[in-house]
Amino acid sequence: MIYLDNASTTHKKPFEVVKAVNLAITKLSSNPGRSGHDLSLKTAMKIANTRQNLCDYFNCERPEHVIFTSGCTESLNLAILGTAKAGGHVIASVFEHNSSLRPLFELEKNGIITLTIISPKYKEKITKEDIEPHIKANTYMIVSTHISNVDGSETDIENIGKLCFEKNILYLVDAAQSAGHRRIDMQKNHINFLAVAGHKGLYAIQGVGALLINGKTLPKPIKFGGTGTQSISVYQPDEAPECYESGTSATPNILSLNAGLNFVKTHEKEIEKKEKALTLYTINQLKKIDNIIIYTSEKNLNGVVAFNHKKYDSNEIADFLNSKNIYVRSGLQCAPLKHKFLGTEKTGIVRISFSYFNCKKDIDYLISALYEIK
Amino acid sequence: MIYLDNASTTHKKPFEVVKAVNLAITKLSSNPGRSGHDLSLKTAMKIANTRQNLCDYFNCERPEHVIFTSGCTESLNLAILGTAKAGGHVIASVFEHNSSLRPLFELEKNGIITLTIISPKYKEKITKEDIEPHIKANTYMIVSTHISNVDGSETDIENIGKLCFEKNILYLVDAAQSAGHRRIDMQKNHINFLAVAGHKGLYAIQGVGALLINGKTLPKPIKFGGTGTQSISVYQPDEAPECYESGTSATPNILSLNAGLNFVKTHEKEIEKKEKALTLYTINQLKKIDNIIIYTSEKNLNGVVAFNHKKYDSNEIADFLNSKNIYVRSGLQCAPLKHKFLGTEKTGIVRISFSYFNCKKDIDYLISALYEIK
């Protein structure tokens, strides 16, 4: 099996991650933040360590503003729905995934916000210049996909963050496809809300993500229930992180995120170097094959390569590759506006995506299969 | 270690559950319902099997109306927030956990619904007679905690379900503390929404639950994002279960729920018999100790026993037991109105709770520790 669908979820998880999950199930199965016995406290401490680890890695201001969620989708929903401002205006881009678009369009449909979706001048990068002209007096938030899950194109979060800071606009960055692949500094980039997926570049198991919050604007909770705090009250308490994390914590998932993050920190340089090299190598090899259209630019060496075959639909190519035990993603990748922007909304695209565990041989195998297509 | 805090989370998970999680991480790590390759399809099939298994076990009408959530809290939020009817009236009881109370009071605080919280005539059971007089013309939902997480007291869901059916009122049952402990038949009991926790009586790992839906009223989604369906649209699709499950499925957690449910099905009679016997034995042993007040009735043999010591606060007793390596839960158990009802809102109560893996010796150890308290 050649697994080239790591942008959907990284297939191979580091041994440390498997070990962390096993420890969580067999030795730490208790309710952290609820009961006061030693096992519950030990588990709570491990969860607190994970919070601190994420806080340090992304340079978030305060560990209590690292909110564990069920995944990046919930993180984005919390940031978008939790800060919704009646009569306000939000700017997002065609690069957005449906996990940002759908909560935003839900708010727009209900008449709560107005929404501007911008298209960038260059397909490789969304810049400050693409965004700035669309800012209105009532713009309260800008949403950016850091790295596109379709083709690896980028957003200049540094300069857009600066712009947001200057204009006093909230900045939400969807790092589903970048966290773990490259270092993100929330304070340097003036990011108010950073949404991360656990199970992709951070090598955790599925079922965990985080929303990291900087600045004074805290979202309202979107889920209500037991927090283990102020239990005498029938109203949701205000204190973070508990007010956002109603219900029993997903200890195995959270501890897998800690282990995954530690793996990333240990192999940080290697991961970046490897993914860049594999992306470039793939683009260069694809270029040699007839009838292949490549959508990923050589400027965007982000572990994702998007292409099509002129004679076939993306699903047909993916099915053919599947018959050779090569697993890729086809279709729209839940990013409809990006496909309209690329003109691929009818065919979809074939996406291959790497993790630390891929190697040059995987690409050679893929390329030789693609040569067979007539 | 004597673990008697299984109502918070079952500590020991069956070997089959650990095995299922390992399989999910090491062999099935892919994105079900997204990619079309064999691994993704194989994983999707296992998730569909889990859906069917839950559907059959709880006698839900359709497997696609079994919604996976991050836990019982999200299930209750989906049922309560997703069906909220402006100007409508909801009836709940003092037995409710904050996971029901807080979303309900949030709706009431925002002027969306009016709310009646009933107190039962008898502390052992909430009956149809406790509810019926409070029904108004605009009552659209009744919420019942099936078994109280504080003291194991019950709600007569059979007759209240019947009443709801006759009056055309939606019936939401919080089965956090009953699912897995006793069989629940959704159709027989006219339950529209059944909220279950994975990690308690169903022996799954933390981070998974389900909302099972019967009848024609489907809640609106409360979370928006990628569903792998109708990806060309920026609006949330309508089809269940996908419209409720935006984001990557928590495969390890969901497959652990399947394994946990299979364990429960295999040991069904034994679990019920054992928990009844342990509960009765504990009540009888506690009765012999001076200064102990028992809150759990002999009529409610549901694996939960609540008590206090006349001389000490519940936290002091729990701390003392912790020093003897006996793990219990003290305080309010996230059920404030139940404690006000029992008059224990200042002291809390000491709660012990069993799973299949407890035995008589655990109780003897607890009892002998309690005799030491002077």
Side-chain angles (χ1 to χ4, degrees):
Chain A
M1 179 184 76
I2 310 287
Y3 187 88
L4 294 169
D5 191 19
N6 293 285
S8 290
T9 198
T10 40
H11 169 64
K12 196 171 152 59
K13 306 296 182 191
F15 175 65
E16 295 86 339
V17 168
V18 184
K19 216 171 120 186
V21 173
N22 269 298
L23 182 83
I25 306 176
T26 57
K27 304 281 183 205
L28 295 169
S29 186
S30 59
N31 207 320
R34 297 296 188 273
S35 308
H37 53 70
D38 287 354
L39 186 65
S40 177
L41 297 176
K42 195 175 166 187
T43 307
M45 194 65 82
K46 296 245 177 209
I47 288 181
N49 289 345
T50 307
R51 226 182 275 282
Q52 186 67 55
N53 200 6
L54 283 161
C55 184
D56 295 343
Y57 179 72
F58 290 110
N59 197 18
C60 185
E61 287 162 0
R62 300 163 65 179
E64 60 270 33
H65 288 174
V66 175
I67 314 302
F68 292 117
T69 63
S70 61
C72 197
T73 297
E74 191 185 323
S75 302
L76 290 162
N77 273 262
L78 174 55
I80 292 169
L81 303 179
T83 60
K85 207 170 167 175
H89 174 245
V90 176
I91 301 172
S93 84
V94 293
F95 283 19
E96 259 51 75
H97 187 275
N98 269 339
S99 51
S100 291
L101 293 174
R102 286 179 171 172
L104 286 170
F105 275 91
E106 179 71 18
L107 291 175
E108 197 219 25
K109 193 179 75 179
N110 294 328
I112 298 168
I113 64 165
T114 54
L115 187 57
T116 300
I117 304 289
I118 67 106
S119 291
K121 190 173 175 190
Y122 304 104
K123 77 178 184 65
E124 295 83 7
K125 199 166 199 164
I126 296 179
T127 65
K128 184 185 147 185
E129 288 67 35
D130 293 318
I131 301 278
E132 200 164 9
H134 301 279
I135 294 176
K136 301 178 188 179
N138 63 339
T139 304
Y140 70 91
M141 187 185 253
I142 291 173
V143 183
S144 289
T145 289
H146 187 196
I147 292 180
S148 162
N149 73 314
V150 175
D151 62 359
S153 53
E154 298 176 25
T155 301
D156 178 5
I157 58 168
E158 190 171 344
N159 284 307
I160 299 174
K162 224 168 160 180
L163 176 69
C164 286
F165 179 69
E166 287 162 9
K167 304 267 186 187
N168 200 22
I169 292 170
L170 296 170
Y171 194 31
L172 164 60
V173 173
D174 171 6
Q177 219 53 60
S178 58
H181 296 276
R182 61 165 69 181
R183 190 61 86 109
I184 302 166
D185 186 318
M186 283 186 77
Q187 294 191 59
K188 191 182 151 212
N189 292 324
H190 302 289
I191 297 168
N192 292 84
F193 305 105
L194 185 74
V196 304
H199 67 107
K200 299 187 179 191
L202 293 171
Y203 294 93
I205 62 173
Q206 301 85 5
V208 66
L211 181 70
L212 296 91
I213 306 172
N214 268 352
K216 285 181 191 156
T217 303
L218 296 177
K220 284 186 195 163
I222 57 171
K223 193 167 75 178
F224 309 89
T227 54
T229 57
Q230 298 179 44
S231 296
I232 194 65
S233 173
V234 294
Y235 296 102
Q236 192 72 359
D238 285 332
E239 289 75 26
E242 291 85 359
C243 69
Y244 302 114
E245 295 180 358
S246 287
T248 297
S249 297
T251 302
N253 307 66
I254 293 171
L255 301 195
S256 83
L257 179 52
N258 200 35
L261 176 56
N262 287 338
F263 176 84
V264 166
K265 282 160 71 180
T266 309
H267 299 85
E268 198 165 8
K269 292 229 163 73
E270 213 181 331
I271 288 171
E272 213 177 318
K273 198 175 149 193
K274 199 171 194 175
E275 289 185 0
K276 268 187 199 311
L278 286 180
T279 311
L280 187 60
Y281 179 70
T282 308
I283 292 172
N284 287 335
Q285 293 307 100
L286 283 173
K287 274 182 184 168
K288 297 178 192 165
I289 310 174
D290 288 346
N291 292 317
I292 295 285
I293 314 159
I294 305 167
Y295 299 99
T296 300
S297 160
E298 283 165 27
K299 292 178 189 162
N300 300 133
L301 301 178
N302 293 317
V304 175
V305 181
F307 69 92
N308 262 331
H309 192 286
K310 282 178 190 164
K311 293 187 184 172
Y312 301 95
D313 181 272
S314 68
N315 291 324
E316 290 173 304
I317 299 295
D319 284 350
F320 168 75
L321 292 172
N322 182 54
S323 75
K324 301 269 173 188
N325 284 322
I326 303 170
Y327 298 161
V328 304
R329 175 98 176 253
S330 56
L332 299 180
Q333 293 89 26
C334 297
L337 304 184
K338 175 84 188 193
H339 278 275
K340 285 181 182 169
F341 176 72
L342 293 174
T344 51
E345 73 270 29
K346 294 229 169 95
T347 56
I349 57 126
V350 184
R351 179 187 73 187
I352 58 173
S353 51
F354 311 116
S355 86
Y356 173 83
F357 296 104
N358 286 110
C359 61
K360 206 169 144 278
K361 269 192 179 167
D362 295 338
I363 316 299
D364 291 337
Y365 201 82
L366 166 83
I367 296 295
S368 86
L370 289 172
Y371 270 111
E372 290 180 34
I373 298 170
K374 296 297 161 203
Chain B
M1 179 184 77
I2 310 287
Y3 187 87
L4 294 169
D5 190 18
N6 293 285
S8 289
T9 197
T10 38
H11 169 64
K12 195 169 156 58
K13 305 297 182 191
F15 175 67
E16 295 85 341
V17 168
V18 184
K19 216 171 120 186
V21 174
N22 268 299
L23 182 84
I25 306 176
T26 57
K27 304 283 181 203
L28 294 169
S29 187
S30 59
N31 207 320
R34 299 296 188 274
S35 308
H37 53 71
D38 286 353
L39 186 63
S40 177
L41 297 177
K42 195 174 165 188
T43 307
M45 195 62 83
K46 295 241 176 213
I47 288 181
N49 289 346
T50 308
R51 227 182 275 282
Q52 186 67 56
N53 201 4
L54 283 161
C55 183
D56 294 342
Y57 179 72
F58 291 109
N59 197 18
C60 185
E61 286 162 1
R62 300 162 65 178
E64 61 270 34
H65 287 173
V66 174
I67 315 302
F68 292 117
T69 63
S70 60
C72 196
T73 297
E74 191 185 324
S75 302
L76 289 164
N77 272 261
L78 175 55
I80 292 169
L81 304 179
T83 60
K85 204 170 170 176
H89 173 246
V90 176
I91 301 172
S93 82
V94 293
F95 284 17
E96 258 52 77
H97 187 276
N98 268 338
S99 50
S100 291
L101 291 175
R102 285 178 170 171
L104 286 170
F105 276 92
E106 180 71 18
L107 291 174
E108 196 220 24
K109 193 178 78 181
N110 295 327
I112 298 168
I113 63 164
T114 53
L115 189 57
T116 301
I117 304 289
I118 66 104
S119 291
K121 189 172 175 193
Y122 305 104
K123 77 180 185 62
E124 295 83 6
K125 198 164 199 166
I126 296 179
T127 64
K128 185 186 148 188
E129 287 68 36
D130 293 317
I131 301 279
E132 200 164 10
H134 301 279
I135 293 175
K136 301 178 188 180
N138 63 340
T139 304
Y140 70 90
M141 188 185 254
I142 291 172
V143 183
S144 290
T145 290
H146 187 194
I147 292 181
S148 162
N149 72 314
V150 174
D151 61 1
S153 53
E154 298 177 24
T155 301
D156 177 4
I157 58 170
E158 190 171 344
N159 284 306
I160 299 174
K162 222 166 161 182
L163 176 70
C164 286
F165 179 70
E166 286 161 9
K167 303 265 185 190
N168 200 21
I169 294 170
L170 296 170
Y171 195 33
L172 164 59
V173 173
D174 171 6
Q177 219 53 61
S178 58
H181 297 276
R182 61 166 71 181
R183 191 61 87 107
I184 302 166
D185 186 317
M186 285 186 77
Q187 295 192 59
K188 189 183 151 209
N189 292 324
H190 303 288
I191 297 169
N192 292 84
F193 305 106
L194 185 75
V196 303
H199 67 106
K200 299 188 178 189
L202 293 171
Y203 295 91
I205 62 172
Q206 301 86 9
V208 66
L211 181 70
L212 295 92
I213 306 172
N214 266 354
K216 285 179 189 157
T217 304
L218 295 177
K220 286 186 193 162
I222 56 170
K223 195 166 76 181
F224 309 89
T227 53
T229 57
Q230 298 179 42
S231 295
I232 195 64
S233 173
V234 295
Y235 296 101
Q236 193 72 1
D238 284 332
E239 287 75 26
E242 292 85 0
C243 68
Y244 302 115
E245 295 179 359
S246 287
T248 296
S249 296
T251 302
N253 307 65
I254 293 170
L255 299 195
S256 83
L257 179 51
N258 201 34
L261 176 56
N262 286 338
F263 175 84
V264 166
K265 283 160 68 180
T266 309
H267 298 85
E268 198 165 10
K269 291 231 165 71
E270 214 180 331
I271 288 171
E272 214 179 316
K273 197 176 149 194
K274 201 172 193 176
E275 289 186 0
K276 268 189 200 306
L278 287 179
T279 310
L280 187 60
Y281 180 68
T282 308
I283 293 172
N284 287 334
Q285 293 308 99
L286 283 173
K287 275 183 185 169
K288 297 176 190 166
I289 310 176
D290 288 345
N291 293 315
I292 295 285
I293 313 158
I294 304 166
Y295 300 98
T296 300
S297 159
E298 282 166 29
K299 291 178 190 162
N300 299 135
L301 301 178
N302 292 317
V304 175
V305 181
F307 69 93
N308 262 332
H309 192 286
K310 283 179 188 161
K311 293 186 181 171
Y312 301 96
D313 181 272
S314 69
N315 291 323
E316 290 173 304
I317 299 296
D319 285 350
F320 168 74
L321 292 173
N322 181 55
S323 74
K324 301 270 174 186
N325 285 320
I326 302 169
Y327 298 162
V328 304
R329 174 97 175 256
S330 56
L332 299 180
Q333 294 91 23
C334 297
L337 305 185
K338 176 84 188 192
H339 279 275
K340 285 181 182 167
F341 176 71
L342 293 174
T344 52
E345 72 269 30
K346 294 225 166 96
T347 56
I349 57 125
V350 184
R351 180 188 71 188
I352 58 174
S353 51
F354 312 114
S355 87
Y356 173 82
F357 296 104
N358 285 112
C359 60
K360 206 168 144 280
K361 269 193 180 168
D362 296 339
I363 316 298
D364 291 337
Y365 201 82
L366 166 83
I367 296 294
S368 86
L370 289 173
Y371 271 112
E372 291 179 34
I373 299 170
K374 296 297 164 203

